[in-house]
């Protein structure tokens, strides 16, 4: 089962190995403090107007997308996300210094909306357990590492349900993971449906994601652990490995990273290795 590893004080030398087992690292005292205007902006709830599920910030272009919030709130939010991007990167460096040569920073997001009660399609419903895999952004085996922080101002916990381990999840859903017809991945890449070419690995991961979210009986019965993350807490997890659902909560920050499979400390535990073993195919190389 997935463990929650609390980190307080000095960083344990095996923190990266814990992440790579699928465990969640929890920092109760992260040291990331919000300013008065940042707290007021979150409390006012203005960012959620307009409403995309996620407001995103791209550190490369300094652009915020997904909110119609006008200045000065917009600038307060942009500054908060820019600071969080740096904080999260420093935290990953501290947890896993060995990742640095293979670490790529992705988008930063702010998630203001309450999750409970939100209407959405089953495929987009993150209240159903899944491991992350996105139709338009193939990773070709790169890992998805995410750093979350609950920044709610009214004490609302962010409630997650996690589990079971990746191998059980994969074994359960592999028979139902749909394959693409020959030539489809090339067509997707050429027409811009995918940003880069979908590999066999990406296709299997998407198949698992969809099969898991569709299976309401499995959602209700698979071994699970419920975790509440309180305001001020930060947690880090490989969301391409650890089945997770976000059941309730609002106002979270999130920073995504892509980590090259070559810099893993235990490469045999990665989803790519597990799926290649279970399917008997080298999924990083297989084209679909
Ligand atoms: C998810 O990755 O499924 C959502 C996590 C969250 O927003 O807490
Ligand atoms: Fe997810």
């Amino acid at each position: 089962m997935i463990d929650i590893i609390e980190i307080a004080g000095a960083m344990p030398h095996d923190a990266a190995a814990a992440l790579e087992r699928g465990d969640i690292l929890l920092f109760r005292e992260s040291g990331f403090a919000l300013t008065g205007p940042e707290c007021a902006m979150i409390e006012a709830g203005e960012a959620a107007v307009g409403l995309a599920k996620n407001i995103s910030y791209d550190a490369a272009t300094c652009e915020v997308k997904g909110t119609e919030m006008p200045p000065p709130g917009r600038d307060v939010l942009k500054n908060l996300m820019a600071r969080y991007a740096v904080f999260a990167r420093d935290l990953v460096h501290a947890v896993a210094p060995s990742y640095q040569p293979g670490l790529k920073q992705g988008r930063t997001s702010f998630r203001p909306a309450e999750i409970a009660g939100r209407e959405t399609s089953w495929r987009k419903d993150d209240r159903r357990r899944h491991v992350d895999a996105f139709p338009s952004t193939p990773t070709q085996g790169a890992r998805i590492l995410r750093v979350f922080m609950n920044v709610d101002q009214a004490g609302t916990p962010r409630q997650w349900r996690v589990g079971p381990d990746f191998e059980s999840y994969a074994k359960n859903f592999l028979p139902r993971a749909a394959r693409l017809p020959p030539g489809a991945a090339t067509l997707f890449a050429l027409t811009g449906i995918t940003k880069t070419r979908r590999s066999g690995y990406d296709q299997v991961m998407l198949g698992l994601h969809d099969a898991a979210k569709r299976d309401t009986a499995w959602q209700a019965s698979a071994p699970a652990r419920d975790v509440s993350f309180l305001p001020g807490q930060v947690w880090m997890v490989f969301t391409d490995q650890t089945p997770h659902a976000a059941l309730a909560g609002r106002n979270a920050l999130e920073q995504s990273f892509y980590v090259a499979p070559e810099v893993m400390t235990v490469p045999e535990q990665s989803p790519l290795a597990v799926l290649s073993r279970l399917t008997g195919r080298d999924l990083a190389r297989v084209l679909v």
Side-chain angles (χ1 to χ4, degrees):
M1 191 30 85
I2 314 296
D3 277 327
I4 312 297
I5 313 282
E6 281 201 44
I7 312 251
M11 192 64 69
H13 70 276
D14 56 355
L19 276 180
E20 292 179 29
R21 270 199 308 272
D23 292 343
I24 298 177
L25 303 188
L26 171 65
F27 304 83
R28 288 187 195 277
E29 306 280 336
S30 69
F32 185 78
L34 271 60
T35 65
E38 287 167 353
C39 294
M41 181 274 299
I42 293 168
E43 205 165 7
E46 249 196 307
V49 174
L51 190 73
K53 180 171 90 172
N54 292 349
I55 298 169
S56 72
Y57 171 76
D58 183 348
T61 59
C62 297
E63 255 192 294
V64 174
K65 289 201 181 127
T67 178
E68 287 164 15
M69 179 165 57
R74 192 183 189 86
D75 302 315
V76 172
L77 177 59
K78 190 199 265 191
N79 202 30
L80 169 62
M81 290 167 94
R83 289 198 311 112
Y84 185 70
V86 173
F87 160 79
R89 189 196 56 210
D90 290 348
L91 194 61
V92 172
H93 285 175
V95 164
S98 57
Y99 288 177
Q100 282 190 40
L103 189 69
K104 197 170 148 247
Q105 189 144 6
R107 292 286 165 86
T108 316
S109 72
F110 176 52
R111 306 173 174 201
E114 172 57 54
I115 297 164
R118 192 159 58 198
E119 284 303 317
T120 178
S121 66
W122 61 266
R123 190 177 271 126
K124 289 197 174 140
D125 188 356
D126 290 340
R127 292 168 302 187
R128 300 169 189 227
R129 275 180 278 168
H130 62 283
V131 302
D132 287 347
F134 304 104
S136 63
T137 46
T139 77
Q140 289 151 344
R143 309 296 316 274
I144 304 173
L145 179 62
R146 296 191 141 161
V147 183
F148 294 87
M149 180 173 186
N150 185 342
V151 291
D152 190 62
Q153 298 299 304
T156 318
R158 200 166 191 84
Q159 287 166 15
W160 275 31
R161 177 163 295 160
V162 296
D165 61 277
F166 183 79
E167 185 147 344
S168 317
Y169 168 89
K171 278 187 177 149
N172 198 54
F173 294 113
L174 259 177
R176 276 176 268 171
R179 293 207 181 180
L180 279 181
T186 308
L187 192 67
F188 288 171
L190 287 175
T191 54
I193 292 175
T194 56
K195 289 178 191 143
T196 53
R197 200 177 192 293
R198 211 183 263 181
S199 66
Y201 171 73
D202 295 298
Q203 184 59 27
V204 171
M205 290 291 275
L206 279 171
L208 299 179
H209 171 276
D210 288 1
K213 280 190 172 174
R214 276 191 116 120
D215 189 338
T216 41
W218 179 85
Q219 291 288 339
S221 63
R225 171 171 194 164
D226 285 352
V227 203
S228 271
F229 299 105
L230 301 177
Q233 295 184 349
V234 167
W235 62 106
M236 186 184 296
V237 57
F238 275 115
T239 54
D240 62 354
Q241 175 175 11
T242 302
H244 60 282
L247 305 178
R250 55 186 189 171
N251 292 322
L253 287 166
E254 174 271 336
Q255 174 66 55
S256 297
F257 296 90
Y258 299 94
V259 196
E262 297 78 33
V263 300
M264 293 292 112
T265 50
V266 197
E268 322 68 83
Q269 284 180 344
S270 68
L272 176 60
V274 172
L275 292 174
S276 293
R277 175 160 51 76
L278 292 177
T279 58
R281 303 191 300 158
D282 179 356
L283 289 175
R285 288 178 207 291
V286 173
L287 293 176
V288 284

